[in-house]
Each structure stands twice: as C-alpha cells, then as structure tokens.
Amino acid sequence: MKKLLFLLLAILAFVNVNSQIKKPVKWTSKTEKISDTEFNLVMNATIEQGWHMYSQFTPEDGPLPMVVTVKDQKGNFELVGKTKESPYKKEFNKDFGVEEFYFEGKATLTQRVKITNPKTSKIVINLDFQACQNQCVNDNVDLTFVIPAVSETEVPVATLDTIKTDTAAVVQPEVKQEEVSETNEQPKNEDEKGLWSIFFLAFIGGFAALLTPCVFPMIPMTVSFFTKQSKTPAQGKRNAIIYGVAIIGIYVVLGLAVTAIFGADALNALSTNVWFNVIFFVLLVFFATSFLGAFEIMLPNSWANKVDRQADRGGIIGILFMALALAIVSFSCTGPIVGTLLVEAASSGGIAPIIGMLGFSSALALPFMLFAMFPGWMNTLPKSGGWLNTVKVSLGFLELALAFKFLSNADLVLQLHWFERETFLAIWIAIFGTWGIYLLGKITLPHDSPITHISVGRLMLAILVISFTFYMIPGLFGAPLKLISAFPPPEEYSESPNGVGGSAAVLTSEKLPDGAELNKHGILIFTDYEKGLAYAKTVNKPVLLDFTGHACVNCRKMENNVWTDEQVSQILKNEVVLISLFADDKRELPKSEQHISPSTGAKIETIGDKWTDFMITKYKTNTQPLYVLVDVEGNNLNSITPTTSYDPDAKLYENWLKQGIANFKR
C-alpha cells in the first residue's frame, strides 16, 4: 500500500512539474515534392490562444527573432532562397522602441531545398524561437523531414517532428497543410514600403551626384551635342529620351550584376556579418577621403577613350556609348555615391540593389533628358564654380559619418564595447562640427577655390549642420537623441548607461562589488550567480533571482513600470541583492561546462541553456520573467507564493518582496 501511495505521489509530482513547463507552440512538418530533386519543407505551428510567436524578421534590439538553422547541408542539398513565412502581424513595441513582427494562432514556414546527394534520406531543421503572453518562453525545436529516393514518384505524406521537452521527445501528429504564402520573406506591403524608401533615398543620391564637379558641367556639353547633331527638334527630343533611358539602363544593369554575383538572399546575410560591416566601413572611409580631396577615384583612361570613339559613330549606337562615356568619365564623383547606395541596399537584400540603381540613375538622367529636350531652360542653370566642390566635400563628410555606423554594427555584434555610444557620438560631433566650420569658410580643402565671402545658401546649411552638432552633445551625458536613434548604439551600450550626473552617478562614486553593474534605474545587479551569492553572504541580505531575457518584452515592462515604483525601487536598491540570469543568452559555455541535462535531457551549450535548465529543474517552469526570493543558501523565502512573474501591479510586487524579506530577518 505504501509503495502504491508513493508511486501515486510521484506521478502527481511529475504531472505538476510538466503542467508548469510551457509549450505554447506545437509544430508539425511535412515534405512536398516539387520535382525529382527539389522539395518544399513545410513547418506548421499551432500557437495557443493568447500567445504570440515572433517572426525571423523581427528587427534587432527588440523581442527575440526566430532563428532557422538547416543542419548537415554541405554535400547533401542546397537551399533555394530563404525560409518563407506566412503573413505576420506588425505592431510598435514602445518598451523596445521598435516594430515587432509576430504570429498568432497559426504560422507556416516553408524552405525549398535542392537535393545534390541522392543518398539524402532526411533533413533536420532547428527552430529557435520566442513566444510570449504575460511571460515569455524561449524554445528550441528539431523538425525532421523524410526525403524520398530520387527514383520515387510519390512522396510519403507525413513526417515526424521531434519537440524537446523536459522529459522526452514528443511525436506530434501531422497537421493538414494549409496554403503556403509564396510571397517574399516579408509581407508584400512591408517589402513595397522598404523598396520605396530605398528608391527615394537613391533618387536623392542621384541629384547629389548631379551637383558635383564631374557631372554638372557635362549638362551644357551634352545639350550642345544633341542640338548640333539633331536635324529637327523632334529628333533631338527622341535622342534625348534614348540617352536618358540608356543612362538608367547602365546603372540598373550594375544593380542586376551585384544581385546576381552575391545572390538576393546573400546580400542581407552579408550586411549583418561582422567582417562585411568592417569592410563596408573601410570602403566608405575610402570614398569619403576621395570626396574630401585626398585623391580621385578614376577608371582607366583607355576605357573612356574607346567608348568616346564609339560615341562618334552617331545614331542610336552612338547615343548608347555616350551614356556609357558619362558613367565612366563621372565615376570619380558618382562612384562613391553608387558604392554607398549599394552598401545600404545590401542591408535589405532581394532586389534592393536594382531598385536603388533605378532611383539613382533616374535622378541623374532626368536633367540631361529635360535640358536636351528643352535647350532654352539652360539659361536658368547656375554657373559652374566653387560651389560644386563644396557639394562634393559635403558628401564626403556625410559618407564619413555613415561609415562609423557600420563599424558600430560590428562592435555591437561582437559585444566588444570598443565603440560604445559616447565614442560614436564624439566622432559624429567632431565630423559634423568640422563640416560646419568648413561651410563657414574657416577650413579649406585641396580642391577649394579661394573665397572672399559665403553665399546665403551656404550660411543656412552651416547653421543647420552646427545646430545638429549642438543637438548631439547632450547625448554624451545620457540624452536619448530621438532624431538619430537608429544610428548610434543603444543607451545601454555605453560607458555610462545611466547618464552622467544622474542618480546612478552618485552610486558609482563608490567602487562596485566584483561582478556587479548598475542598470539604467540605478539598481545594483549581478549577472554572475556565484559572485552575486557570495556578495549576499558578505552583506547578509536576501537574494532576488531575476530570470529574464535580453529580448523579453514583459521583463522590460516590469523593469520600466514596476521596478521604478518609489517603494519597490528602494527595496531593490537597499534590501536585496539582485541577480539577473538571462535565459536567451546565446554565448557558448566553455566546452568543459557543456553537458546533457539530467532532468530534461536537453543539450546545455549556452549560458541561456544553463539558466533555463536551472529554472526548469528547481522552479518547475520555463517562462520569463520569473522572480524568486531566496536566502544565502538558496532556500525559498516566500512559502505561500514561492515565485512571481509578470504583474503590472507594483503594490502586489512590493508586498511579495516585503513578505520574503521579513521571513529572511526572522
């Protein structure tokens, strides 16, 4: 009887443990045959009501985007494009300050593959994703797809997907495949919005290139050519249109070439790669120094001479070669702008380089076409002069400033803290400040003409640039700088994340304990469990374990809305030792610490895995945020409610803290 009772209690305990382990997203998978060698790997997600799962396209610095990893690809199969998603929802998240993309109810992901090894019998795709309600769950799923032999004509309907749990693999039944969206990675309206932005910026870049010493003086020369060569006004207009279309065609072909060489999907991957960010930084500095007058970027003169000879042939062929000659001769001014636009377009991937070149060339070609069609308009053009070099130098300052954004990206990815917010802003203040002084005529560069006075337009631009410089200065002391929030590193990635001279500065006047840091609310936090526990023993205070995540929305809400409550803040600062453990920390553990969890059977490879396993093993849950008050030996202090989670009621949170602290003092 005792054995039976013991067995019953064990079963109840097991059920209770598993009932608290949240699995709000269930996955099924299937293989769809396209041809003998190509297959669609379809992943269907069923999301519990009230929960939402984030897309792989959720922007950085927000909730955790899904990561799709296809295993054992080399030598067995090739990916055809990126993983496509069914349409998702979009909403601005004020806690992170970014748009978030997420699914509710159901989601479908599709990855097309081309089999290169006939012996390939299965493919495994790993999905690392985050789902949130009032808490957030970080989950990791392996889906297995059966690949039929190449000789088979029918594809087996069904595959198994293995979902990791804390006890064993669970096999889910197949869910009937719904229609899969064949759109690009993002919904059509989002793609269109991004491409229109690229086109507009490239169009502005084309007009900027037009106002440079290499291009602007060529307008009257071109108009003169068409006026003399055309027998009738109608023929002149026709030739001008052909000339403009040819210019557009040349640059669009360049965009096509870039996309074809690197691949539409590869461009986006390259833009987020550390080394390519560094390469982009070096490239833009190179372009900027050219615009500032250090040297000229020239294509071989032989190219221009050969093309120029072909242009003398006349007719449509001659006009086409005239357009090519313009592209070659003006390269010293247009090359850096084109290179910068292609770098920026690479961040969007897809056909963005083509759209960028279409916008740039349209702006560049339009004036040539119009003035050739209506030569009388030439009288309205300003005369060439030193102002053209001023435009060129100004573009150099802008290129130099933009270059440091890419260097900042690389540093952020590596988390080196070599290029923090203050450093970035100091460099931008120096660049824009120098530009303002240059516009006032106090600095001259190699190709500048002597000036006795500055124009009203130049003065207005100088005032604008200097005002912007002064606007950035408070950012060195913690100001948010919302106008340029997309460019510098976030406020947390800073030498003084709490600002200079604020309440946090008072606390830092004393040396912080080993392993501790101050968060933006001036609360002392440990992120190392052992060091935090050792400090708690030294000061004889209870420990508040904060199981959180870098990309946990409700964690930020608690920190911004509940922790900032006056009473709660005083408790966190003075009466407890706060240890924050990040369940989504993707940094790998040392090899000696990597292991298989005895309680869940999961691989513990990262710091986040370690703290997730700790939550499941000791507190029987895997959701964040999770708060636990313990004594210096790790024993729970709140007997009735051992843990608490997301609750915007600051008074309830305060009472829960006070109860645990009172138990500790007894």
Side-chain angles (χ1 to χ4, degrees):
M1 186 65 184
K2 288 183 179 179
K3 290 183 179 180
L4 183 60
L5 181 60
F6 178 78
L7 180 60
L8 181 60
L9 289 173
I11 293 172
L12 288 173
F14 177 79
V15 170
N16 182 57
V17 168
N18 283 275
S19 67
Q20 296 183 58
I21 306 302
K22 300 292 185 182
K23 289 286 180 181
V25 183
K26 306 299 182 186
W27 290 92
T28 61
S29 59
K30 66 183 295 184
T31 306
E32 289 184 344
K33 186 174 182 179
I34 306 300
S35 67
D36 284 344
T37 57
E38 289 197 1
F39 299 87
N40 272 341
L41 309 181
V42 182
M43 296 154 271
N44 288 306
T46 302
I47 306 166
E48 286 185 20
Q49 186 174 3
W51 288 79
H52 54 269
M53 176 180 70
Y54 292 105
S55 159
Q56 60 186 319
F57 305 110
T58 289
E60 295 179 3
D61 303 323
L64 201 65
M66 179 186 296
V67 177
V68 180
T69 305
V70 186
K71 298 184 177 180
D72 302 321
Q73 177 185 343
K74 190 174 181 182
N76 294 318
F77 56 91
E78 297 174 353
L79 302 184
V80 182
K82 291 188 71 174
T83 304
K84 294 183 179 180
E85 296 181 350
S86 55
Y88 48 67
K89 295 185 177 182
K90 175 183 173 182
E91 186 175 317
F92 182 76
N93 186 316
K94 64 180 181 180
D95 294 290
F96 285 111
V98 300
E99 297 283 358
E100 60 182 22
F101 306 151
Y102 62 90
F103 303 98
E104 288 181 339
K106 290 185 178 181
T108 299
L109 281 70
T110 307
Q111 174 64 62
R112 182 168 292 192
V113 296
K114 182 178 181 180
I115 304 301
T116 55
N117 180 1
K119 295 182 179 180
T120 302
S121 60
K122 68 176 182 178
I123 294 176
V124 177
I125 294 183
N126 177 265
L127 301 175
D128 194 319
F129 61 94
Q130 184 181 71
C132 291
Q133 190 189 42
N134 287 332
Q135 306 91 27
C136 290
V137 172
N138 303 319
D139 209 346
N140 194 292
V141 174
D142 276 342
L143 302 180
T144 302
F145 299 84
V146 173
I147 304 299
V150 172
S151 59
E152 294 184 19
T153 57
E154 294 295 332
V155 181
V157 173
T159 59
L160 300 179
D161 63 336
T162 304
I163 298 181
K164 296 178 182 178
T165 68
D166 56 314
T167 53
V170 176
V171 177
Q172 298 291 334
E174 182 192 11
V175 174
K176 182 180 179 181
Q177 170 62 22
E178 299 183 352
E179 182 179 357
V180 180
S181 171
E182 290 298 330
T183 59
N184 290 330
E185 288 81 9
Q186 298 186 23
K188 186 176 180 181
N189 62 333
E190 289 303 315
D191 281 341
E192 289 180 350
K193 183 179 177 182
L195 292 177
W196 274 113
S197 298
I198 291 169
F199 180 86
F200 177 74
L201 291 173
F203 197 81
I204 298 298
F207 273 125
L210 190 70
L211 302 176
T212 57
C214 318
V215 182
F216 190 81
M218 296 184 71
I219 296 177
M221 294 169 56
T222 304
V223 173
S224 175
F225 173 84
F226 283 119
T227 303
K228 292 177 181 178
Q229 295 295 323
S230 303
K231 296 179 181 179
T232 64
Q235 185 185 24
K237 292 179 180 179
R238 186 198 67 183
N239 290 341
I241 292 172
I242 294 172
Y243 180 68
V245 171
I247 293 173
I248 294 172
I250 288 168
Y251 284 100
V252 169
V253 167
L254 176 61
L256 281 167
V258 170
T259 304
I261 292 169
F262 293 102
D265 296 315
L267 283 170
N268 183 261
L270 293 181
S271 69
T272 57
N273 179 278
V274 171
W275 289 111
F276 273 89
N277 270 289
V278 172
I279 291 170
F280 290 160
F281 164 72
V282 173
L283 193 62
L284 292 189
V285 170
F286 177 74
F287 290 155
T289 51
S290 170
F291 268 167
L292 292 173
F295 52 84
E296 296 284 344
I297 303 174
M298 302 287 291
L299 292 176
N301 287 330
S302 59
W303 292 13
N305 294 334
K306 289 178 181 179
V307 170
D308 195 47
R309 284 195 294 270
Q310 294 296 324
D312 291 337
R313 293 169 57 179
I316 293 178
I317 299 297
I319 293 172
L320 294 177
F321 276 100
M322 271 190 65
L324 184 57
L326 171 69
I328 293 173
V329 172
S330 65
F331 186 79
S332 60
C333 290
T334 60
I337 299 175
V338 168
T340 304
L341 289 172
L342 287 173
V343 167
E344 282 295 293
S347 301
S348 299
I351 62 170
I354 302 169
I355 298 298
M357 289 301 95
L358 178 63
F360 174 83
S361 57
S362 297
L364 191 66
L366 191 61
F368 283 93
M369 291 171 56
L370 292 175
F371 285 109
M373 292 171 68
F374 306 101
W377 291 4
M378 287 295 299
N379 296 326
T380 63
L381 276 180
K383 294 181 179 180
S384 299
W387 68 272
L388 290 174
N389 193 67
T390 302
V391 172
K392 186 179 176 183
V393 169
S394 295
L395 290 174
F397 280 112
L398 285 173
E399 294 239 19
L400 189 61
L402 182 61
F404 285 96
K405 170 60 178 171
F406 290 97
L407 185 62
S408 170
N409 287 345
D411 185 65
L412 276 168
V413 171
L414 294 175
Q415 290 288 299
L416 296 175
H417 287 268
W418 291 351
F419 202 70
E420 293 176 317
R421 185 178 176 87
E422 290 88 348
T423 307
F424 181 95
L425 289 174
I427 291 173
W428 266 39
I429 289 168
I431 291 172
F432 282 91
T434 305
W435 183 15
I437 295 171
Y438 167 80
L439 289 171
L440 290 174
K442 303 301 181 182
I443 297 174
T444 56
L445 291 170
H447 299 297
D448 285 323
S449 304
I451 57 172
T452 56
H453 67 280
I454 60 174
S455 65
V456 174
R458 184 166 174 167
L459 176 63
M460 292 298 181
L461 182 59
I463 291 172
L464 181 65
V465 172
I466 292 172
S467 298
F468 179 67
T469 304
F470 280 114
Y471 168 78
M472 289 189 289
I473 292 174
L476 295 171
F477 307 98
L481 304 183
K482 293 182 180 180
L483 285 179
I484 58 169
S485 59
F487 289 93
E491 294 174 59
E492 293 78 12
Y493 198 78
S494 167
E495 292 179 16
S496 52
N498 307 288
V500 177
S503 59
V506 176
L507 293 173
T508 54
S509 60
E510 299 178 7
K511 186 178 178 182
L512 295 176
D514 182 30
E517 59 188 56
L518 286 171
N519 75 354
K520 62 182 179 181
H521 304 302
I523 300 170
L524 190 73
I525 290 180
F526 288 85
T527 54
D528 185 298
Y529 180 76
E530 299 299 334
K531 290 180 179 179
L533 206 58
Y535 178 74
K537 291 178 180 178
T538 302
V539 296
N540 193 33
K541 289 182 180 179
V543 173
L544 176 61
L545 295 179
D546 164 35
F547 291 96
T548 183
H550 294 292
C552 172
V553 177
N554 291 311
C555 302
R556 297 297 86 78
K557 288 181 179 178
M558 287 293 290
E559 293 162 13
N560 294 333
N561 302 324
V562 176
W563 285 11
T564 53
D565 176 82
E566 184 177 355
Q567 299 302 320
V568 172
S569 178
Q570 289 302 314
I571 293 173
L572 296 180
K573 289 178 180 178
N574 303 315
E575 299 188 49
V576 300
V577 174
L578 181 58
I579 304 178
S580 292
L581 306 174
F582 291 85
D584 60 358
D585 192 328
K586 299 300 180 183
R587 290 177 296 171
E588 283 198 359
L589 290 166
K591 293 296 182 182
S592 59
E593 295 183 26
Q594 295 183 15
H595 63 282
I596 302 296
S597 169
S599 58
T600 67
K603 291 181 180 179
I604 309 302
E605 298 176 334
T606 66
I607 294 174
D609 293 341
K610 176 181 177 181
W611 300 130
T612 299
D613 185 62
F614 182 30
M615 291 173 66
I616 293 172
T617 302
K618 189 157 186 178
Y619 302 111
K620 316 307 178 189
T621 186
N622 62 340
T623 62
Q624 305 95 51
L626 180 73
Y627 306 103
V628 190
L629 260 176
V630 299
D631 61 21
V632 293
E633 303 299 328
N635 302 311
N636 282 17
L637 291 172
N638 296 73
S639 55
I640 299 175
T641 311
T643 66
T644 189
S645 186
Y646 172 75
D647 190 331
D649 190 329
K651 192 63 181 179
L652 286 177
Y653 193 74
E654 177 193 345
N655 291 338
W656 179 81
L657 288 172
K658 286 181 175 179
Q659 182 188 50
I661 294 169
N663 291 336
F664 176 81
K665 291 178 178 178
R666 289 183 190 141

